[in-house]
Amino acid sequence: DIGCHLAGLHLSSCILNASGPRTNTEQQLLEIARSSAGAVCSKSATLEERSGNDQPRYTEIQLGDRTSSINSEGLPNKGFAAYTEASLLRRLRESAEPAGKPYILSISGLSLQENLRMLDLLLESGSVEHLSAVEVNVACPNVPGKPLVGYDFPQFEAVLKEISAHPVFTANPTLALGFKLPPYLDAPLFDAVAGMLNPLAKSKGGVLGYVVCCNTLGSALAVDVETETTVLHPKGGFGGLGGPVVRYLAMGNVSHFRSRLDESIHVVGCGGVCTGEDAFAHILCGATAVQVATQHRVEGPTCFYRIAEELKDLMRRPAGGKLVGASGGMPKI
Ligand code: DHB
């Protein structure tokens, strides 16, 4: 059984899609619902529809048989209403028959006010009862003129406080709240962020259910040595780096947060999961569930079945394998 309990939700598989690739349209979300993914997570919504940045805004980096990516999409999405309308939520439920699966709405308002407005609309709408979680993305590196909230601690603290105090969560105690974090690179930053998150834990009377570690690593730059230009067009060619090249960084973030966060705040691993072994490595670092982004884009939604089967095969191996009692004095994860 590779199911899990994430922030009060039951997932029949701990492997789900990340917000981003193949999450923009109703058709794409329904395909995830029909797949083996443990939950369906939408593209990060803004209040209004956005077409995103100019093309080209996505490129792939091949290292052996592993594909990483750099993107500067700029939050193209159908707008908040499209991801919360009753007919989409009904089709998602029907597509995920017989058991149904959680639907996670990712939001990435261009301001705190915009995020709060979307939560207001959710509170007023009948859709909220069919929504399992709201995942607030504080880590998009790609909107011109909008620095990353998760790196601006005074702003980040205000965002955490106001969003977690929103009545949509107190009125709907089963609605989980998650935050999608950017990658951090230094121990004092993990201390500082954990210090802002822990007071919001359910065990402290708060509503924070989980964090995702982590979003893409910003300021990556791909260049074309033939044309002597950047590969991506928007924002001077800079974009967010994802996939196997950030997997070890993502796992470090999972582990740092797992060791610092209140037990009631779950950590979802995200970064470079291509195989069941990658998923297991994230779990060893402290992840309750794992999200798949670049590999989902490359392979399509059948990746959730393949990765789940690989993880199950791994779990069936004789307990502990060769590492049991043979850690050679290395630190336990
Ligand atoms: C986008 C890219 C990201 O890496 C992210 O976290 C959110 C949004 C984007 O450009 O659309």
Side-chain angles (χ1 to χ4, degrees), residues 216-227:
T216 56
L217 180 62
S219 292
L221 183 63
V223 296
D224 185 327
V225 294
E226 293 299 324
T227 59

Side-chain angles (χ1 to χ4, degrees), residues 61-146:
I61 305 152
Q62 200 69 34
L63 288 174
D65 59 358
R66 300 219 166 202
T67 310
S68 297
S69 64
I70 303 178
N71 90 80
S72 182
E73 305 273 349
L75 288 173
N77 77 96
K78 303 280 176 205
F80 172 81
Y83 300 108
T84 51
E85 62 171 10
S87 68
L88 169 70
L89 273 64
R90 180 173 43 75
R91 286 192 192 108
L92 284 171
R93 287 197 298 284
E94 289 168 0
S95 299
E97 290 285 357
K101 61 178 66 166
Y103 174 49
I104 302 168
L105 171 71
S106 172
I107 63 171
S108 191
L110 301 181
S111 64
L112 172 57
Q113 278 57 44
E114 188 174 328
N115 278 325
L116 294 172
R117 176 80 188 121
M118 288 189 272
L119 297 178
D120 290 345
L121 291 170
L122 213 51
L123 183 59
E124 293 160 16
S125 95
S127 295
V128 66
E129 65 173 297
H130 297 299
L131 194 64
S132 308
V134 176
E135 186 175 296
V136 183
N137 178 11
V138 291
C140 175
N142 298 333
V143 180
K146 294 283 173 189

Side-chain angles (χ1 to χ4, degrees), residues 93-282:
R93 287 197 298 284
E94 289 168 0
S95 299
E97 290 285 357
K101 61 178 66 166
Y103 174 49
I104 302 168
L105 171 71
S106 172
I107 63 171
S108 191
L110 301 181
S111 64
L112 172 57
Q113 278 57 44
E114 188 174 328
N115 278 325
L116 294 172
R117 176 80 188 121
M118 288 189 272
L119 297 178
D120 290 345
L121 291 170
L122 213 51
L123 183 59
E124 293 160 16
S125 95
S127 295
V128 66
E129 65 173 297
H130 297 299
L131 194 64
S132 308
V134 176
E135 186 175 296
V136 183
N137 178 11
V138 291
C140 175
N142 298 333
V143 180
K146 294 283 173 189
L148 220 144
V149 171
Y151 288 153
D152 175 352
F153 287 178
Q155 190 195 353
F156 190 18
E157 180 149 48
V159 165
L160 289 171
K161 277 194 177 143
E162 293 219 29
I163 287 180
S164 61
H166 195 281
V168 74
F169 299 109
T170 31
N172 299 278
T174 61
L175 180 66
L177 170 63
F179 284 92
K180 175 93 164 258
L181 305 178
Y184 298 97
L185 306 179
D186 197 20
L189 303 179
F190 294 103
D191 293 338
V193 175
M196 292 190 279
L197 295 170
N198 279 332
L200 310 174
K202 288 182 180 163
S203 63
K204 306 266 184 341
V207 298
L208 177 57
Y210 73 95
V211 293
V212 185
C213 300
C214 35
N215 212 307
T216 56
L217 180 62
S219 292
L221 183 63
V223 296
D224 185 327
V225 294
E226 293 299 324
T227 59
E228 302 184 14
T229 62
T230 63
V231 174
L232 304 187
H233 180 78
K235 290 194 75 177
F238 294 100
L241 183 64
V245 297
V246 301
R247 183 163 70 88
Y248 300 92
L249 176 64
M251 284 161 39
N253 274 249
V254 169
S255 179
H256 271 306
F257 276 113
R258 184 62 282 153
S259 65
R260 285 167 173 79
L261 290 178
D262 186 285
E263 270 183 42
S264 69
I265 303 173
H266 292 162
V267 178
V268 175
C270 182
V273 174
C274 302
T275 67
E277 216 166 285
D278 300 336
F280 185 51
H282 266 280

